[in-house]
Amino acid sequence: MSFALDLVIIGGCGHAGLPLGVAFAESGLSVRLLDVNSSAIESVNQGSPPFREPGIEASLRRCLTQGRLAATDDPGVIASAETVVVCLATAIDEHLNPDPNRFLSTIEGFGDRFVDGQLLVLRSTVFPGVTRLVEERIALTGKAVDVAFCPERIAEGNAMSELRELPEVIGARTPAASARADALFRHLTHETQHVSPEEAELAKLFSNSWRYLKFAIANQLFMIANDFGLDYERIRNAAGYKYPRASDLPSAGFAAGPCLFKDTMQLAAFNNNNFMLGHSGMLINEGLPVYLLTRLSQRFDLAKMTVGILGMAFKAESDDVRSSLSYKLKRILQVRAAEVLCTDPYVETDPDLAPLEDVLARAELLIIAAPHRVYADIVSTAPVVDIWNLRGDGVRV
Ligand SMILES: NC(=O)c1ccc[n+]([C@@H]2O[C@H](COP(=O)([O-])OP(=O)(O)OC[C@H]3O[C@@H](n4cnc5c(N)ncnc54)[C@H](O)[C@@H]3O)[C@@H](O)[C@H]2O)c1
């Protein structure tokens, strides 16, 4: 069977889908990005990525010019592609529960578009067992479609290099699906690891939970040191210097964003809500803004002060505000402080942000919430709270 296109990515204009689509198109494949976000589609087709991802823009423009890549809202493209990759979001709800049905029903909605001979790759971080459910639902349609789960493992901001550097985890139940997914990802990487879909689903959730817990232990150790009047960074440096068993202890800081928290909660839900460390880590990481403000309230009369928050993205050098703890900090400060001013050099989606100069001129206390490099050198007479130690002045609060 011959197909007009190599690849369609559902959710192709998102943070995972777009870098992947651009990387595959750069490798010579013909790719279509299927999405429902019309402004993102327009922006991609004009060669302008709808979010910040270093290194993507030149590649995107090259692929558009050479006709290997385009974004569309027409689901009709699905039937013309040999491989369909799903990069839809997999959020948790307000009760911290995953909603696999939403993901499944979106795929089912495309069910009559699939055709015999296709490979369907699930790339989203799914609730364990979802790959099997997709396989079963595809089988019910009677179509001969191979299914594989190949988790996206990039970190935002490093996508364009990591897509080519990271080994690919391939979770497939049949030799055919395994071989086809392998051949696909060999366009990007020379190393693949083959496991079952369930092992691949857990490999992804274990990785993100592990990372989230590393940040949690760092944040808890920071709080312990700080409560004893000691500087966590000095201790961390002493512990890790030429001592590999402690050198991977992270700095303190807001551990947030659209993946780590969500995936730790997905793993907890999968294990019947029995993931004590995961839930404890969540309480520590999500509690850090409250801890900071409790400590600051002991030193400052916040109710009479204008407080400036520097960095609203969930991490350094990013414009992504999804699940950013900067906004939790802001909401609490709006109750406790006289005034709150927020700024970020990258975030363009928040109309309430002020220019950095205004915040520096007016704030009586500054908190670095996202460690964008630009904040390392700010000059201010106001005290600067820097739990990341971006400025190298220590992290005591
Ligand atoms: N963001 C990352 O760096 C990253 C890294 C690893 C894994 N992941 C995982 O990848 C998945 C996607 O995350 P994301 O950050 O890219 O989310 P995202 O919200 O940035 O992207 C999802 C895209 O899907 C589109 N979409 C929604 N409904 C659609 C539909 N019915 N048809 C077509 N398109 C539709 C949205 O418009 C959006 O562009 C998640 O499971 C996430 O956990 C993300």
Side-chain angles (χ1 to χ4, degrees), residues 211-220 223 253-256 260-261 264 278-290 325 328:
R211 193 162 158 75
Y212 192 61
L213 287 172
K214 277 168 92 166
F215 292 136
I217 181 79
N219 285 331
Q220 175 127 57
M223 292 183 221
F254 288 169
L260 300 187
F261 176 11
T264 306
H279 281 126
S280 301
M282 179 266 284
L283 293 175
I284 293 163
N285 287 334
E286 288 289 305
L288 188 55
V290 182
L325 283 170
K328 180 168 183 172

Side-chain angles (χ1 to χ4, degrees), residues 182-233:
D182 192 286
L184 175 69
F185 283 101
R186 294 269 168 185
H187 287 279
L188 301 183
T189 178
H190 60 279
E191 238 186 309
T192 55
Q193 299 180 80
H194 290 257
V195 289
S196 71
E198 289 70 31
E199 287 165 337
E201 289 170 342
L202 284 181
K204 176 64 195 179
L205 292 188
F206 284 4
S207 310
N208 276 7
S209 300
W210 169 235
R211 193 162 158 75
Y212 192 61
L213 287 172
K214 277 168 92 166
F215 292 136
I217 181 79
N219 285 331
Q220 175 127 57
L221 296 179
F222 157 70
M223 292 183 221
I224 291 172
N226 197 57
D227 286 344
F228 277 87
L230 299 170
D231 191 307
Y232 172 68
E233 271 303 299

Side-chain angles (χ1 to χ4, degrees), residues 10-17 34-37 40 87-90 106 110 123-126 152-156 204 258-259 262-263 320 322:
I10 301 177
C13 294
H15 291 79
L34 175 63
D35 210 291
V36 290
N37 181 337
C87 287
L88 293 166
T90 49
T106 309
F110 292 120
R123 188 76 170 162
S124 304
T125 308
V126 298
E152 183 52 79
R153 302 199 296 160
I154 51 123
E156 282 182 37
K204 176 64 195 179
C259 289
K262 178 256 297 180
D263 292 336
D320 192 346
R322 292 178 297 170

